[in-house]
Amino acid sequence: MQPDHNALPTGLSDKAMETLKRQLVDLVEPLSDHQLLDLADGIHEMLRQRRIVRQHHAERMSERARHGVDFRV
């Protein structure tokens, strides 16, 4: 998986992320294929919504910048 350079930092170290991934795999192992796909769909939808919000924010900041207001921090 490619890192999302536009993502906000999560506060998890690489080691903590690996631990979390192993724990998640252990938790979802007993799920049926249907349950696992349903969970994956929910996570994917959450990611789509986050990207939409970030894109909307970037577009609004660009629009404001075109009008001479600089909101960069």
Side-chain angles (χ1 to χ4, degrees), residues 3-65:
D4 185 352
H5 297 291
N6 295 323
L8 297 174
T10 61
L12 290 178
S13 67
D14 290 344
K15 184 177 179 180
M17 186 64 191
E18 285 302 316
T19 300
L20 178 60
K21 286 189 329 188
R22 277 194 310 277
Q23 289 173 339
L24 284 171
V25 167
D26 290 344
L27 285 170
V28 301
E29 185 67 34
L31 298 180
S32 69
D33 289 352
H34 177 75
Q35 290 171 320
L36 186 55
L37 286 170
D38 195 34
L39 178 61
D41 285 345
I43 292 169
H44 193 208
E45 180 59 29
M46 182 177 59
L47 179 58
R48 279 195 295 269
Q49 291 300 317
R50 286 181 177 191
R51 287 182 172 175
I52 288 168
V53 167
R54 282 195 296 266
Q55 180 63 34
H56 180 69
H57 177 73
E59 289 169 359
R60 289 182 62 208
M61 290 296 107
S62 289
E63 183 65 27
R64 288 182 180 179

